[in-house]
Amino acid sequence: MMNSESAVISSNKNPGILQPGADELPIHEKNTEQLLSINRKMAMVADKAKLSIAIRGIFIHTTQIKKYYVSIFDPERTSLNTYLFDFGPGFVNLPQLETLLSVKSLKDGIIDRIMRSAGPLQFDTDRLVRSGQAPSYVQLWKQTGLKKVIASNLIYGGEPMGIIWIEPHLMNIKLAEALCIPVAAAISNILAKQKIQTQTQEIFNLKQNLENENLHPPAQMQSMTNYGEIVGSSESMRAVYQLVSKVAKTQSTVLIMGETGTGKELIARAVHKASIRKEKTMIKINCAALPPNLIESELFGHERGSFTGATERRIGKFELANKSTLFLDEVGELPLELQAKLLRALQEKEIERVGGQAVIKIDVRIIAATNRDLMLEVQKGNFRSDLYFRLNIFPIVMPPLRTRKEDIANLANYFLHKYAPRSLKKLPAFSSKVLKQLTAYSWPGNVRELEHLIERSIVLTPGAVINQINLPGISEDGTARGNVGSHIKTIDEVEREHIIAVLKYCNGKVAGIGGAAEVLKIPSTTLNSKIRRLNIKKEHRLK
């Protein structure tokens, strides 16, 4: 059996390194002129698509090659990833193509020899296969008709970037080697441009988050009854303000619990804005708004090529929140397998990107929120007990609006002042009948439901007084209908009735403009989850 060295067409003096044959031409003045022209053309290439066109035009017509593909190193230089290729018509549909273009190890007997080579190497596919030591992609070379392959390093600025693989026809080796220089330069420029664009977009997103947050910035606690956007002077809310003032200056993890719409995110923002991390933007992730297969990437980030669709490296929320606060909204919706990874990140204060090898140290304060009874979820086996106790260091429970009715009038007026200018209307007033109705209602959607109702009422009111409001279960005289002294509804029953009422109001539409999710101001994925959990059938949604 031949050894691997004999599988390379080479001279006797320098095994493994191709020497110019008798049929190869030296680079004359004509070649020099060609290279100058090619350099000028390649310098004008701005993206990968134009680069592919340029390479095809240059290589096919100048050096008469048949096919080529370019592989580049990953950032850590641990593997080769296909960057672009051109195999001609009829080749791209072959089932073996994906394996041929897959990520390659740098120590497979072929790539490591190319990396050590001072010039191009030419491989004979038949000899490599007969040697019995060929990597799997060499077998595919033979199956797909690649008899000879020339491979050359792409080097720019003295740094290896990758390898170009060529199937020659009438090949001028020296000219092809010289062409690798402008190709490497063009790829380097494109990658640098992409990196700058990615970083610019990340900076823009962070600035946008900061601007959005500053539209209604939470202020420092001015009194027990006024904490920026948080409105309420009831005893239960004063207790919440005291807890916020105690925990804000610490580094303790905070778990905010309460029904949907009670203002858990506002409390999280208040804690952050009163903390020593207030100069940095609080980073938020809604654990219920993303499919399970994307949450890990959102939290920890991913490396390029770590999964299908991962075309670029992504920085996760933990890294973005370094030296700041990470708000984990709806943390009770996290899948069990991700709960373990979150627990490790909290305990070890380090993360790994999906598909990455490096350990990244983080300094992040966690504020979590949930509308679930996490202790009950632990008992059911849906939530890890160790993660629950790690999050539940400093709990804050948000009271539902129905238990603090003395705050309803102030909240209604707050939202009146907030939304009337946006609707380009003069500030209307509430009639006594409407205020009586607002106070009598049970508010299963809590403050969020009240906010949406006031905004909608401002739009629908033609005059200067809001004297009619659309509330389910309220009679014309402003009193609550039915159920007095009878069955006390559970939170799930109240939430189910409210969601059904909103769905009917939206003619059964869940997502999109005018859908129930928009009215309730929750993600459509969260609403669909609630619809399934509360057993709301299709026939319940329509009027």
Side-chain angles (χ1 to χ4, degrees), residues 190-450:
I190 292 171
L191 292 177
K193 181 181 178 182
Q194 290 174 342
K195 186 175 182 180
I196 292 171
Q197 289 174 339
T198 300
Q199 292 174 341
T200 302
Q201 186 62 44
E202 288 180 357
I203 293 170
F204 173 79
N205 291 340
L206 285 173
K207 286 183 177 180
Q208 194 69 32
N209 289 340
L210 185 60
E211 289 174 3
N212 291 340
E213 184 173 303
N214 287 336
L215 286 175
H216 305 285
Q220 296 294 328
M221 189 184 300
Q222 298 171 0
S223 70
M224 284 297 188
T225 60
N226 186 8
Y227 207 148
E229 292 175 283
I230 309 169
V231 177
S233 57
S234 60
E235 184 177 347
S236 58
M237 286 305 296
R238 290 200 300 270
V240 170
Y241 301 148
Q242 289 177 345
L243 292 174
V244 170
S245 64
K246 288 178 180 178
V247 77
K249 299 294 184 183
T250 73
Q251 298 298 310
S252 297
T253 299
V254 180
L255 178 61
I256 307 171
M257 295 171 284
E259 297 174 14
T260 298
T262 50
K264 297 186 289 296
E265 184 177 347
L266 292 181
I267 293 298
R269 285 160 62 179
V271 171
H272 172 72
K273 280 297 185 180
S275 74
I276 60 174
R277 300 169 182 258
K278 63 184 177 181
E279 299 304 323
K280 291 185 174 289
T281 303
M282 182 180 80
I283 303 299
K284 172 189 171 184
I285 181 170
N286 189 323
C287 301
L290 293 169
N293 61 324
L294 293 182
I295 297 177
E296 183 177 7
S297 174
E298 283 291 318
L299 281 173
F300 306 117
H302 65 248
E303 297 291 350
R304 181 179 181 272
S306 56
F307 54 86
T308 302
T311 57
E312 300 292 342
R313 170 186 282 178
R314 181 184 180 89
I315 303 300
K317 293 294 194 285
F318 264 98
E319 284 186 79
L320 289 175
N322 195 38
K323 305 295 184 183
S324 186
T325 303
L326 177 60
F327 177 47
L328 302 174
D329 199 9
E330 305 287 2
V331 72
E333 308 296 328
L334 272 180
L336 275 170
E337 61 271 17
L338 276 179
Q339 292 176 25
K341 295 182 179 181
L342 174 60
L343 177 64
R344 178 182 178 276
L346 299 182
Q347 290 178 334
E348 305 297 330
K349 299 188 182 302
E350 61 185 29
I351 62 167
E352 291 181 16
R353 298 192 192 106
V354 177
Q357 303 292 328
V359 173
I360 302 168
K361 294 291 184 181
I362 52 169
D363 174 18
V364 175
R365 184 190 191 170
I366 298 295
I367 301 178
T370 182
N371 60 6
R372 290 180 178 267
D373 183 340
L374 288 188
M375 196 65 234
L376 181 60
E377 295 300 315
V378 169
Q379 294 169 4
K380 291 179 179 179
N382 297 329
F383 203 83
R384 294 177 61 105
S385 59
D386 46 6
L387 178 58
Y388 168 68
F389 292 118
R390 182 64 184 78
L391 292 174
N392 196 37
I393 293 174
F394 195 92
I396 297 177
V397 179
M398 292 299 294
L401 188 54
R402 62 183 173 276
T403 66
R404 54 183 187 109
K405 290 185 178 289
E406 60 267 45
D407 291 332
I408 290 176
N410 286 334
L411 281 164
N413 278 293
Y414 174 82
F415 295 131
L416 196 67
H417 284 78
K418 178 179 179 179
Y419 288 109
R422 299 184 186 184
S423 301
L424 303 178
K425 289 189 175 184
K426 292 183 179 180
L427 190 65
F430 292 111
S431 68
S432 58
K433 181 185 79 169
V434 165
L435 287 176
K436 188 176 180 180
Q437 288 176 330
L438 295 177
T439 306
Y441 185 51
S442 60
W443 298 108
N446 293 292
V447 179
R448 182 185 291 128
E449 183 186 7
L450 173 62

